[in-house]
Amino acid sequence: MAHVLVPAGSFSCLGGWVLDTQFVSIMGGPYLLAHGLGKPVSDALTTVEFPEPGTYHLSVYTSNWTSPWKKGYSPGVFQLSVNGEVLSPIFGTHEGTWDWEYGGTVDVTSTTVQLALKDLTGFEGRCGFLYFSTEKQEVLPLDPREIFSLYREAKQPPLASYSFDFVVVGGGIAGMCAALCAARQGLRTALIQDREVFGGNNSSEVRVWLGGLTNLKPFEGIGNIVGEFEQERIGHYGAENQADLYEDARKRSILEQEENLSVFSSAILMESRVDGSAIASVLAWQYRSDALLRFEAPLFCDCTGDGALGSMSGADFEVTTNGHMGMTNIWYVEKTDSKVDFPSCPWAVDLKEVEFPGRAEVKDVYDNQREMSLGCWFWESGCELDPIVYAEYARDLNFRAMYGAWDCLKNHDHDYPNHRLGFSAYIGGKRESRRLLGDVILTKAEVMADRPYKDGCIPSTWNFDVHYPDRRFYAAFHEGDGFLTKDYRERYRTPYFIPYRCLYSRNISNLFMAGRDISVTHDALGAARVMRTCGMMGEVVGYAASMCKTLGVSPRQLYEKHLVKLLSKLQALENREVPKPNVKVQMHNDQ
């Protein structure tokens, strides 16, 4: 039997499709997404070598993404072209989400084959893998681990092994700061990021600016590295929140120019090997080059936000599965010089009888700029569902809410006649998922009582800010899913210094964490989760990792035996604070 597996992540030319890597743990691999906002995107192209000519059975791993809500619709569909011939099957039509759709037989006359994915709608069609086999496959795997095994068996990807002093997984602000700080302290450091772009929520892909204060006494130098990544200008919501504000290339350049830092982008964490209570190595899938990368190190840091490395390694964690903060996919509309039509979306959330922010009857949220209320922070889904298992569901609900709102405004209200959808983030801006447990689990009550810890060293200044579904818009929740939230805030005496013991795992001896997956309760996370604060966590971890190597101790032993040295080091740092952008900061800057 001859067979060929084509992962979507290895397509050489993406065309108008985008690569989605957020849900590999749910569906098994990176996938191509036709994120055209209602307009078909240009073809994704690649060339594949077949072992021999012949007749091959085709199966396509795809999803009918609206089927959990609306049966009988398939808005995201596409076709496949083989050597310039468009095959007749239309993919993305089955009832249910991720599954293999059979595409019939394909006659391959040459070992070199050109493939093209041809989007038909621009409404979020998706393709994970193409599988060609000379024998029809009655059963193909659906479990993500089995799909990865199929990939390794079919592709035989090369494996490269590396040894470092310190490995950081996750390239958001926390991971960038941890990796850069450790490298500058002399550690040979690896930074693994599943996207090509760095910055996480503070990137052009998600578009959330930084929150929290830095460089506060007595740790006036903590925040210096955050300041290096600080963007020069800030956009708020709406069309002023443009991609160039986030300076993606500059962020990456800072990382790549650091002598002791090796940057591995487009690399998804897939496996962790644990020896006793310590991580020995991790395996990453570099999907753009079809390669596997193994990293060994005495120290690791989980900056994934989701606590992915910790969970995979057996670290203790908590996750609030109902009543947690959700995910926002920021979107905005922009004005044009002429009338713009938009197709009807009967599969989207039906908002014709609902007063929602941005509609004429609803009080303006942002200074009489009604369009600023469309797609901003409170368009947030997933608060009442498991944030890991239902992550793609929550993101897709955000899509359905956006398309439903715009369909209502354009086709029912006949409003915004000259506007079009200008941008929609397909990468979700998450606020909360797993929280890895350390020797201290910081609580809201302790912060409110201003109870100090002797190892407190990361200043928290954001107020307690948690989100829950906004019941004022209850009519929009007739399907049981909330996508509009309200913030609930409480203030405390600032700064409150988060203890070092929240930054390492209580049961995996060589695992640090920094970012929104540190050891706090759900309520305490409401204050700790903003990105300047997360970046300072990364800086402290970088200094701590360096001292662990120098002193030959674990993260816990650094606290037990050398806390005075650690605090002295942090207090001795000089303030090199970079001036912050001179703009009005909105109270709802909350990620």
Side-chain angles (χ1 to χ4, degrees):
M1 180 183 73
H3 61 268
V4 175
L5 181 71
V6 184
S10 65
F11 264 62
S12 57
C13 174
L14 302 186
W17 298 67
V18 293
L19 259 173
D20 196 325
T21 59
Q22 303 167 92
F23 313 115
V24 174
S25 65
I26 301 171
M27 49 68 62
Y31 62 82
L32 286 173
L33 180 71
H35 188 53
L37 305 181
K39 293 183 178 180
V41 304
S42 58
D43 296 352
L45 308 169
T46 199
T47 299
V48 178
E49 294 297 321
F50 276 60
E52 61 190 44
T55 299
Y56 287 79
H57 294 267
L58 168 64
S59 296
V60 178
Y61 191 51
T62 184
S63 174
N64 183 355
W65 66 277
T66 61
S67 60
W69 299 277
K70 296 284 189 178
K71 304 301 181 185
Y73 294 98
S74 48
V77 291
F78 60 95
Q79 290 178 287
L80 178 66
S81 170
V82 178
N83 285 333
E85 180 182 349
V86 179
L87 306 183
S88 59
I90 295 176
F91 299 103
T93 61
H94 69 277
E95 290 298 333
T97 54
W98 285 98
D99 207 341
W100 296 90
E101 290 187 8
Y102 181 61
T105 59
V106 180
D107 290 327
V108 173
T109 58
S110 170
T111 56
T112 300
V113 177
Q114 283 82 40
L115 302 176
L117 293 182
K118 306 184 77 66
D119 174 40
L120 300 179
T121 67
F123 281 123
E124 319 303 337
R126 49 200 75 181
C127 177
F129 295 91
L130 306 172
Y131 188 78
F132 299 86
S133 176
T134 52
E135 294 183 11
K136 184 176 181 181
Q137 302 298 300
E138 298 298 336
V139 178
L140 285 168
L142 295 176
D143 181 272
R145 292 167 296 182
E146 294 177 1
I147 289 175
F148 187 53
S149 295
L150 173 66
Y151 165 77
R152 297 182 72 170
E153 178 185 351
K155 297 291 291 185
Q156 296 292 307
L159 173 65
S161 295
Y162 300 92
S163 179
F164 288 94
D165 298 321
F166 185 48
V167 172
V168 179
V169 184
I173 293 295
M176 292 158 58
C177 291
L180 194 63
C181 181
R184 289 178 177 173
Q185 295 301 301
L187 297 189
R188 293 178 298 107
T189 303
L191 176 60
I192 304 170
Q193 165 71 332
D194 63 354
R195 309 288 305 161
E196 186 68 20
V197 172
F198 289 81
N201 283 348
N202 184 240
S203 72
S204 65
E205 294 187 318
V206 186
R207 305 193 188 182
V208 180
W209 56 96
L210 304 177
L213 301 179
T214 61
N215 301 94
L216 301 180
K217 295 180 180 181
F219 305 103
E220 294 178 82
I222 299 299
N224 287 341
I225 295 177
V226 178
E228 291 183 47
F229 292 117
E230 186 86 41
Q231 60 214 62
E232 182 180 350
R233 297 171 296 132
I234 290 177
H236 294 302
Y237 294 107
E240 68 182 48
N241 195 2
Q242 293 290 314
D244 65 295
L245 298 178
Y246 294 89
E247 303 177 10
D248 294 339
R250 187 180 69 84
K251 288 189 179 83
R252 186 177 183 118
S253 177
I254 292 171
L255 298 169
E256 291 181 334
Q257 290 178 20
E258 191 61 40
E259 182 178 0
N260 288 322
L261 179 57
S262 298
V263 174
F264 299 87
S265 60
S266 299
I268 301 173
L269 176 70
M270 298 302 294
E271 296 176 359
S272 173
R273 185 172 65 86
V274 177
D275 185 1
S277 65
I279 300 171
S281 65
V282 297
L283 183 72
W285 173 11
Q286 200 163 49
Y287 51 88
R288 295 297 290 150
S289 58
D290 268 332
L292 299 179
L293 312 175
R294 177 176 290 129
F295 301 87
E296 297 180 349
L299 293 168
F300 292 82
C301 185
D302 188 330
C303 297
T304 63
D306 284 336
L309 174 58
S311 171
M312 192 178 291
S313 305
D316 294 340
F317 68 87
E318 290 181 344
V319 58
T320 302
T321 57
N322 188 350
H324 56 85
M325 290 174 283
M327 175 195 300
T328 292
N329 291 80
I330 286 174
W331 55 278
Y332 61 71
V333 301
E334 56 190 14
K335 193 172 184 179
T336 70
D337 294 330
S338 58
K339 187 174 183 294
V340 181
D341 294 326
F342 186 72
S344 176
C345 304
W347 39 266
V349 179
D350 185 354
L351 294 176
K352 290 188 291 293
E353 304 302 322
V354 177
E355 294 184 352
F356 58 85
R359 205 171 187 186
E361 294 84 357
V362 178
K363 182 181 178 181
D364 301 331
V365 178
Y366 288 111
D367 301 326
N368 296 317
Q369 298 183 69
R370 186 158 54 96
E371 66 271 19
M372 295 280 278
S373 298
L374 294 170
C376 65
W377 68 267
F378 47 75
W379 292 73
E380 175 182 357
S381 295
C383 298
E384 297 168 305
L385 299 167
D386 186 303
I388 303 297
V389 176
Y390 287 94
E392 188 178 28
Y393 182 100
R395 192 279 308 272
D396 288 347
L397 179 56
N398 283 337
F399 282 167
R400 291 184 62 245
M402 171 185 69
Y403 288 128
W406 198 231
D407 183 13
C408 173
L409 292 169
K410 295 285 283 188
N411 300 321
H412 182 271
D413 295 359
H414 304 291
D415 202 353
Y416 297 99
N418 292 0
H419 284 71
R420 66 186 177 194
L421 288 175
F423 168 77
S424 167
Y426 67 94
I427 302 295
K430 289 186 177 181
R431 296 175 176 85
E432 181 177 357
S433 51
R434 297 188 189 97
R435 304 181 302 277
L436 303 177
L437 302 183
D439 283 343
V440 168
I441 305 172
L442 184 66
T443 69
K444 176 183 175 182
E446 291 171 317
V447 179
M448 292 294 289
D450 200 23
R451 173 192 167 189
Y453 281 93
K454 63 181 178 179
D455 55 333
C457 55
I458 304 106
S460 176
T461 57
W462 197 257
N463 50 40
F464 285 110
D465 173 15
V466 293
H467 300 181
Y468 299 106
D470 190 340
R471 298 301 175 186
R472 291 178 301 173
F473 303 104
Y474 67 93
F477 304 158
H478 62 278
E479 295 166 336
D481 292 319
F483 56 86
L484 292 165
T485 63
K486 180 177 174 58
D487 57 331
Y488 295 83
R489 294 171 179 261
E490 292 184 64
R491 298 191 179 277
Y492 56 95
R493 182 180 177 184
T494 61
Y496 182 87
F497 289 94
I498 300 169
Y500 164 73
R501 283 171 290 173
C502 292
L503 306 184
Y504 64 83
S505 169
R506 70 186 186 186
N507 68 308
I508 299 297
S509 62
N510 63 341
L511 178 62
F512 285 104
M513 53 268 195
R516 61 181 177 82
D517 60 2
I518 67 163
S519 183
V520 295
T521 62
H522 156 74
D523 287 334
L525 183 65
R529 64 190 170 83
V530 293
M531 284 184 280
R532 288 195 191 103
T533 306
C534 291
M536 289 187 289
M537 298 173 197
E539 292 182 35
V540 170
V541 164
Y543 289 116
S546 172
M547 295 183 70
C548 284
K549 182 188 177 185
T550 300
L551 299 170
V553 296
S554 69
R556 173 181 286 128
Q557 290 169 335
L558 182 64
Y559 166 77
E560 292 174 338
K561 300 179 180 180
H562 304 287
L563 178 60
V564 172
K565 290 181 180 178
L566 173 63
L567 296 180
S568 296
K569 170 71 173 177
L570 299 179
Q571 290 173 0
L573 299 171
E574 295 183 0
N575 183 350
R576 294 185 286 106
E577 184 177 9
V578 176
K580 301 299 186 296
N582 184 22
V583 296
K584 177 183 176 183
V585 177
Q586 301 265 6
M587 280 299 292
H588 294 298
N589 163 18
D590 72 325
Q591 274 174 291

